[in-house]
Amino acid sequence: MSRTKFPILCSQKTVNSQFCIDNAKLRIVLIARFLKKTILYFFHLQRQNIFMKNSYDVIIIGSGIVGSLTARYLSRYELSILVIEKEIDVGMCPSSANSAIIHAGYDPKPGTLKAKMNAEGNRLWHELAPELGIAYKKTGSLVVSFGPKDAEKLTELHEQGLANNIPGIRIMERDELMKQEPLLNPDAQAALYAPEAAVLDPFGAVLAAAENAVTNGVDYLFETSFEGFIFDGKRITGVITN
């Protein structure tokens, strides 16, 4: 079989032109295009589930922080798990576009599920962040009051924090407050101090959880929107995607 030769895309008259493409450059361009099409075709096949399992024990909708941490937790068991995500990557919505604060837990009303989950979630992040190598810092937080109305709200939040069993929460009076935060507005009167509050890298947290889940065998399918469930009577047997 004879070897195909690529032509020179210029005439002898324009051989010195910067627009002239010689054989070597053309080969590189064509090879690059071929590789690009091959890679895109591979991902197209993957999108068509050719390399995916026909069924899973667990399908998680959404790869934000809740979805990815759920996948990571369940991956410790002998389960086949799929995470479907409508975006092109994990954590593309609220999970990576937020204040990055790990709240101490004084905001939720005592006795609610949110109050319980806030306090427990705060404790878990202290353990989870170093375990997954997530950028994390326990800073504490201050809710500052500037007058009588603020003081009433501060007292209310303090009482909620105590009822929610938030460790170390207390009212910090003005002298101590200004000593700790000398650049604070001089009109500040007091503050609610919650030492358990922290900050972290939101997208890094999602990514770390997802990477750990994938390492443990979880499959992720991106650009795949959830559109409905498949039912067998009242039993959910599958999901419908785009």
Side-chain angles (χ1 to χ4, degrees), residues 3 40 48 60 86 97 122 131 142 155-156 180 208 230:
R3 184 177 178 182
L40 289 175
Q48 295 300 314
I60 297 170
K86 67 178 181 178
N122 178 285
E131 188 176 311
L142 293 169
T155 301
E156 179 186 334
Q180 180 169 314
I230 300 171

Side-chain angles (χ1 to χ4, degrees), residues 17-174:
S17 170
Q18 62 177 328
F19 300 106
C20 175
I21 304 177
D22 60 18
N23 281 352
K25 289 181 180 179
L26 182 60
R27 286 193 179 101
I28 292 172
V29 170
L30 292 176
I31 291 171
R33 288 178 180 174
F34 172 77
L35 290 175
K36 180 181 179 181
K37 288 182 178 180
T38 301
I39 292 171
L40 289 175
Y41 181 66
F42 171 80
F43 283 109
H44 172 72
L45 292 179
Q46 196 173 42
R47 291 270 293 118
Q48 295 300 314
N49 293 342
I50 290 178
F51 298 126
M52 306 293 286
K53 299 182 181 70
N54 290 325
S55 65
Y56 289 85
D57 297 316
V58 178
I59 297 178
I60 297 170
I61 303 167
S63 67
I65 191 63
V66 174
S68 291
L69 280 175
T70 301
R72 187 233 181 201
Y73 182 84
L74 292 178
S75 69
R76 69 186 65 190
Y77 301 105
E78 293 295 326
L79 296 169
S80 58
I81 304 167
L82 172 67
V83 180
I84 60 173
E85 170 57 54
K86 67 178 181 178
E87 304 295 345
I88 62 173
D89 202 352
V90 299
M92 295 292 287
C93 296
S95 291
S96 57
N98 55 68
S99 64
I101 297 172
I102 304 300
H103 292 273
Y106 50 78
D107 278 314
K109 291 184 179 180
T112 63
L113 180 61
K114 184 176 182 180
K116 180 181 178 181
M117 293 296 100
N118 193 159
E120 180 65 8
N122 178 285
R123 184 189 66 78
L124 288 174
W125 274 116
H126 293 330
E127 302 170 4
L128 189 62
E131 188 176 311
L132 289 176
I134 301 166
Y136 170 92
K137 186 176 183 181
K138 188 176 175 180
T139 59
S141 67
L142 293 169
V143 180
V144 182
S145 69
F146 292 90
K149 289 186 178 180
D150 289 347
E152 291 177 10
K153 185 63 178 178
L154 218 61
T155 301
E156 179 186 334
L157 292 176
H158 182 223
E159 291 174 353
Q160 287 188 176
L162 293 175
N164 292 338
N165 297 313
I166 306 306
I169 192 168
R170 62 185 179 87
I171 299 291
M172 186 180 287
E173 299 299 338
R174 188 180 188 284

Side-chain angles (χ1 to χ4, degrees), residues 220-241:
Y220 274 70
L221 192 59
F222 297 103
E223 296 183 276
T224 304
S225 299
F226 168 79
E227 295 184 349
F229 290 110
I230 300 171
F231 289 93
D232 180 7
K234 293 184 178 181
R235 181 170 174 265
I236 298 175
T237 59
V239 297
I240 302 169
T241 70

